[in-house]
Structure formats: C-alpha cells, structure tokens
Amino acid sequence: MARVPGLREEVEEVFDKSERRKIKLLYLANKYFYVVGLVVGISLGFLLQNLDLLIFFVLAISAFCYFWIDIYLLKQDGKFFNSAGHSKQEIFDRYYAKEISRQLSLRFTTPQALVSQSSMSLEERRADFKRVQAKHLENEFYSSDWRYFVAQVIHYD
C-alpha cells in the first residue's frame, strides 16, 4: 500500500528527520518485537541467574514493546491523516485510485469483455464502467490496510 512515488515527500512535510528515524526504528522493533524481548530478557535472565525470571522478562518485555510501539505508530498515523490535505480519502484518491481504475479498464478491454458487451451501446458501456469503477474504488478503499501507513512509507521508500 505504501510503495508509491511521492508519498515520502508528503510524509516529510509532516514529520522532521528525527521523527522519521524514530518511526522507522520503532516500526522495525515492532515488526521484530519478539527479538527485542528475547535479547533483553536473556541478558536480564543471565544477569540475575534465574530461568523463571528469564522467561518472565522475555514475555513481559516482548508484550510491552509490541503494545507500546503499536500505540505510538498508530498515533503517528493519526497525526499524518489529521494534517491538512492528508486524509485517507485524499491520499487514496491522489495515489491509488488512478492505478485501480487503470487495472479495471484493462479488464474491461479484454476480448471476452468486449464480446460480452457488444450488444450494449457506447453510452451503456460507459455507464456500466462508471458504476463498476465506483463500486470497485469504494471496496478497495475500505479493504485497504491503513495501519502503520506512515511507518511503511518511511521504511519501504
């Protein structure tokens, strides 16, 4: 969802360089939260020489990392989508709607689709395409995963 040219520049308008670096690091820590918890838990467990504490620290620190970072990344998404000109609908319309419409147009121009629509007038075909396009764009918008959007744009670009 986030690998589109131009999105990074929009994120850079809202977040400065240090915030972007922090978001990227926390996104990676959240993606590999179990590794963070394992490393810290093992080091604390060996330091305290207790297997029960090792297991407890691994689980507790992993859970804490996951939930705290999750909340932080979602707040950053909220900050971005609440800034002027960056609502989910505006971002979708600006970067994704054209590509989805292009793919749908290609489907409507396959030989099978052209043959099946040969009895329809040109106006009926256009109306049918607009109806299907509107439904398809709406379905695509609501099925898109907007979770960690900012972090993914920063990480993958």
Side-chain angles (χ1 to χ4, degrees):
M1 176 86 186
R3 293 180 183 175
V4 176
L7 271 177
R8 185 175 186 102
E9 289 77 21
E10 294 214 22
V11 170
E12 288 175 354
E13 291 175 9
V14 178
F15 301 100
D16 64 14
K17 190 172 184 174
S18 64
E19 286 178 307
R20 289 193 309 266
R21 186 177 307 123
K22 183 178 179 181
I23 291 169
K24 185 174 183 174
L25 288 173
L26 289 176
Y27 176 70
L28 289 173
N30 193 37
K31 196 172 181 180
Y32 302 108
F33 70 94
Y34 49 88
V35 174
V36 173
L38 187 65
V39 168
V40 174
I42 287 174
S43 59
L44 286 174
F46 281 131
L47 189 68
L48 299 173
Q49 301 285 329
N50 189 333
L51 182 62
D52 294 335
L53 285 176
L54 178 134
I55 293 170
F56 173 76
F57 280 127
V58 167
L59 295 175
I61 292 171
S62 293
F64 176 78
C65 286
Y66 182 80
F67 290 114
W68 181 80
I69 294 171
D70 183 60
I71 291 168
Y72 177 81
L73 292 175
L74 292 176
K75 281 183 183 178
Q76 300 312 308
D77 285 345
K79 180 180 175 183
F80 178 73
F81 290 127
N82 290 326
S83 63
H86 297 115
S87 72
K88 289 178 186 177
Q89 188 67 53
E90 290 170 325
I91 295 293
F92 182 82
D93 290 344
R94 206 170 337 180
Y95 293 102
Y96 302 108
K98 289 178 187 173
E99 179 61 24
I100 292 167
S101 295
R102 187 187 70 78
Q103 291 172 359
L104 188 61
S105 296
L106 289 174
R107 246 190 291 153
F108 265 71
T109 57
T110 61
Q112 296 86 3
L114 292 173
V115 169
S116 69
Q117 295 177 347
S118 62
S119 62
M120 299 170 76
S121 71
L122 184 58
E123 287 302 316
E124 290 174 329
R125 286 186 213 172
R126 284 184 183 151
D128 185 45
F129 176 75
K130 292 290 184 190
R131 181 185 51 77
V132 171
Q133 180 187 29
K135 184 173 173 65
H136 196 69
L137 286 172
E138 182 180 351
N139 289 341
E140 225 17 78
F141 176 76
Y142 288 114
S143 67
S144 297
D145 184 18
W146 296 97
R147 190 175 173 91
Y148 306 144
F149 182 80
V150 171
Q152 290 175 1
V153 168
I154 293 169
H155 177 70
Y156 291 115
D157 267 352

